[in-house]
Amino acid sequence: MFLEPQETMPQTSVVFSSILGPSCSGQVQPGMGERGGGSGGGSGDLIFQDGRLISGSLEALMEHLVPTVDYYPDRTYIFTFLLSSRVFMPPHDLLARVGQICVEQKQQLEAGPEKAKLKSFSAKIVQLLKEWTEAFPYDFQDEKAMAELKAITHRVTQCDEENGTVKKAIAQMTQSLLLSLAARSQLQELREKLRPPAVDKGPILKTKPPAAQKDILGVCCDPLVLAQQLTHIELDRVSSIYPEDLMQIVSHMDSLDNHRCRGDLTKTYSLEAYDNWFNCLSMLVATEVCRVVKKKHRTRMLEFFIDVARECFNIGNFNSMMAIISGMNLSPVARLKKTWSKVKTAKFDVLEHHMDPSSNFCNYRTALQGATQRSQMANSSREKIVIPVFNLFVKDIYFLHKIHTNHLPNGHINFKKFWEISRQIHEFMTWTQVECPFEKDKKIQSYLLTAPIYSEEALFVASFESEGPENHMEKDSWKTLRTTLLNRA
């Protein structure tokens, strides 16, 4: 049974559009107003091309963020600049500069003929702060940022002391921010309590596992059900990743290049935890195969995981699919030639074709693109699921950052680069917001998350005990491994 990607390709949804609007093009939308130059030109320190901001000085970009009486920044620009600005300065410094620009504009309005528009200006500032606190609440966990926020809101409140509309909006914004920060803090505490599966030292030279020892087939023998539970775990774990976490990839690389520390590197915890899940799943697959004593049962185990990976592909769970394939390609599993000779590998060959690394994983990217394009036509929540191969996504962001410079020769920030990084992060965040439509099975998930996994040494021991070494290199490895384990015992 071959996969038919043109018919089974899953789809996504645009859940994150509430932040980024209908697109992430960065073009000025009607009624938004515009600072700077028009099509193909520049004004001051901002350069536009076909109505799209492509570069500017940091100061001009900050000024472009702040509303005026007749201007409010495009929402895609707000998200992209707030996301990318942390590469150049911490959020609390940006907030301080925003506060200064607000004071300057407020003073100009008070001294000029447009004093009556102070209330309208204040409402726009509150709207900007609202979008900021909703998109990046973690920026305000910093005491300096919270102090700057209070200072700005205090100033704008003075512009509407009569009916208190602005003050009420600020109170609602602050309450929502505090609730969001509390929720994230609780989630982080919960994540830190979770431990990866225990590493089992495995068999020590001819010590067979107990007959009653449970394996994955004893918990779940339906490939589709297991793929659905893996999707549950994936979506649960990826939901704790936020846009600023992904931007840490860029800011962290800059800090390494410049031999200085920028940003809180502990914020990459969620990225590392998700990457560790991939590795644990690969090792679990290898463990489940290698610890089976009888060749007939090992064959069945391999075919089961091939079917699980296939179901993951059909669901749109590319990350679990890649982890399973990686587990079956680990040396202790791949070397089991007698076992593999009994496996019907046609389906496995199709899976490997989709994950062929040649031409920068061209086949996988084609499948992922098909999933993304069909997302707009999704008729059910099941069709919205797209979980990309996470380490490939991270590499894409990394190389996009390394290939294109942050600054242009004229000193401007290369904002065209950050539009693209923002677009890719926005797309990823869209996928993370999808609610898993499958029924949760706690028993299966518990096994997947807590079952002991063999160490690399234990996997080789189990592999060699199942099928002895076949060449001089394997014989030398087996001899060295036996000696090491016997000495350790």
Side-chain angles (χ1 to χ4, degrees):
M1 292 187 296
F2 283 68
L3 287 84
E4 299 291 341
Q6 295 303 317
E7 296 179 4
T8 60
M9 190 58 55
Q11 303 159 12
T12 65
S13 65
V14 189
V15 180
F16 223 60
S17 60
S18 59
I19 292 177
L20 287 181
S23 70
C24 198
S25 65
Q27 292 185 337
V28 178
Q29 296 179 7
M32 287 298 209
E34 180 180 344
R35 281 179 167 177
S39 176
S43 175
D45 286 330
L46 292 180
I47 304 297
F48 290 82
Q49 188 176 63
D50 298 325
R52 188 171 187 254
L53 176 60
I54 59 171
S55 73
S57 67
L58 181 58
E59 178 62 25
L61 291 170
M62 286 190 289
E63 291 179 357
H64 194 60
L65 176 71
V66 182
T68 65
V69 172
D70 6 74
Y71 161 82
Y72 190 82
D74 178 89
R75 299 186 80 186
T76 62
Y77 176 76
I78 294 173
F79 179 84
T80 300
F81 182 69
L82 290 178
L83 180 65
S84 57
S85 64
R86 63 200 68 233
V87 173
F88 307 100
M89 63 196 304
H92 62 80
D93 282 353
L94 174 61
L95 197 59
R97 182 61 189 125
V98 168
Q100 291 172 359
I101 297 172
C102 288
V103 169
E104 292 167 5
Q105 292 199 33
K106 180 172 175 285
Q107 290 173 345
Q108 290 177 5
L109 286 171
E110 288 174 338
E114 295 186 306
K115 187 175 181 180
K117 295 184 177 180
L118 267 173
K119 181 180 176 181
S120 173
F121 168 71
S122 299
K124 288 183 178 180
I125 296 299
V126 173
Q127 178 61 26
L128 173 67
L129 295 174
K130 181 174 180 289
E131 293 194 44
W132 190 341
T133 56
E134 287 177 349
F136 304 100
Y138 208 80
D139 287 354
F140 299 88
Q141 193 177 39
D142 186 300
E143 290 183 4
K144 293 179 181 178
M146 191 60 84
E148 293 292 347
L149 179 65
K150 290 179 179 178
I152 296 174
T153 53
H154 175 70
R155 295 189 195 106
V156 297
T157 301
Q158 296 173 340
C159 301
D160 182 37
E161 293 180 340
E162 294 180 6
N163 54 29
T165 305
V166 170
K167 187 174 183 180
K168 184 178 179 181
I170 290 172
Q172 291 174 343
M173 175 192 73
T174 304
Q175 184 179 13
S176 296
L177 172 61
L178 294 175
L179 288 172
S180 184
L181 286 174
R184 285 202 188 186
S185 178
Q186 290 174 1
L187 179 61
Q188 186 173 349
E189 289 175 7
L190 179 62
R191 297 287 183 195
E192 289 173 352
K193 289 179 181 178
L194 295 176
R195 294 287 181 267
V199 176
D200 193 337
K201 293 181 179 179
I204 302 299
L205 304 178
K206 297 297 180 183
T207 303
K208 294 182 179 180
Q213 186 172 346
K214 188 185 297 183
D215 63 18
I216 188 66
L217 289 172
V219 178
C220 177
C221 59
D222 186 334
L224 175 59
V225 173
L226 189 65
Q228 291 174 344
Q229 297 311 306
L230 286 170
T231 303
H232 254 296
I233 294 171
E234 293 277 357
L235 288 173
D236 177 60
R237 301 221 161 189
V238 81
S239 66
S240 65
I241 295 175
Y242 299 97
E244 58 267 35
D245 296 327
L246 297 168
M247 206 63 189
Q248 283 285 321
I249 300 166
V250 174
S251 56
H252 182 31
M253 288 310 303
D254 279 349
S255 67
L256 293 177
D257 290 344
N258 297 323
H259 305 288
R260 57 197 169 89
C261 181
R262 183 191 297 274
D264 181 7
L265 297 185
T266 60
K267 289 181 182 177
T268 60
Y269 170 82
S270 57
L271 304 184
E272 293 167 1
Y274 189 48
D275 188 52
N276 287 340
W277 153 247
F278 180 97
N279 296 330
C280 286
L281 179 55
S282 294
M283 293 296 283
L284 177 62
V285 169
T287 299
E288 293 290 329
V289 173
C290 287
R291 72 176 185 162
V292 177
V293 177
K294 295 183 178 181
K295 182 171 63 178
K296 180 180 178 181
H297 293 161
R298 280 198 304 278
T299 301
R300 184 188 174 200
M301 187 67 77
L302 279 171
E303 291 181 337
F304 174 72
F305 277 118
I306 291 171
D307 286 337
V308 173
R310 180 176 180 274
E311 294 295 350
C312 285
F313 179 90
N314 290 336
I315 289 172
N317 183 355
F318 298 109
N319 200 56
S320 287
M321 172 192 171
M322 179 66 106
I324 293 170
I325 293 174
S326 299
M328 289 189 285
N329 280 328
L330 289 174
S331 295
V333 180
R335 65 165 298 277
L336 298 172
K337 294 180 181 178
K338 294 177 183 178
T339 304
W340 279 102
S341 68
K342 301 296 182 181
V343 175
K344 298 175 183 177
T345 57
K347 288 182 286 186
F348 186 67
D349 292 341
V350 174
L351 293 173
E352 288 213 303
H353 171 74
H354 287 299
M355 293 300 171
D356 183 357
S358 61
S359 301
N360 193 21
F361 289 89
C362 178
N363 295 337
Y364 159 70
R365 295 182 189 283
T366 300
L368 185 64
Q369 185 179 16
T372 306
Q373 290 174 345
R374 295 192 182 189
S375 66
Q376 297 176 357
M377 300 171 63
N379 296 317
S380 69
S381 55
R382 294 191 178 202
E383 295 174 325
K384 295 178 182 178
I385 297 172
V386 175
I387 304 170
V389 179
F390 186 63
N391 57 10
L392 290 181
F393 173 79
V394 169
K395 286 178 182 177
D396 286 347
I397 296 294
Y398 168 76
F399 282 113
L400 180 61
H401 170 56
K402 296 302 289 184
I403 290 171
H404 303 283
T405 59
N406 287 346
H407 292 90
L408 300 175
N410 64 356
H412 277 196
I413 289 175
N414 181 10
F415 210 68
K416 193 173 183 179
K417 162 185 172 176
F418 291 103
W419 279 127
E420 180 57 24
I421 291 177
S422 175
R423 184 194 67 78
Q424 293 195 22
I425 290 178
H426 155 251
E427 191 170 52
F428 181 85
M429 296 309 300
T430 299
W431 297 330
T432 68
Q433 304 301 309
V434 175
E435 186 175 348
C436 189
F438 309 120
E439 186 177 349
K440 190 173 184 178
D441 189 312
K442 292 183 179 179
K443 183 180 178 182
I444 297 174
Q445 288 197 27
S446 176
Y447 186 88
L448 290 169
L449 293 170
T450 63
I453 54 177
Y454 282 3
S455 64
E456 187 176 358
E457 281 185 350
L459 285 174
F460 272 110
V461 170
S463 178
F464 282 130
E465 288 187 342
S466 296
E467 296 184 20
E470 293 189 350
N471 53 53
H472 291 299
M473 186 178 293
E474 283 193 346
K475 288 177 181 178
D476 289 343
S477 297
W478 181 219
K479 183 179 179 180
T480 302
L481 186 56
R482 284 172 62 91
T483 303
T484 300
L485 293 175
L486 285 171
N487 291 337
R488 189 181 298 166

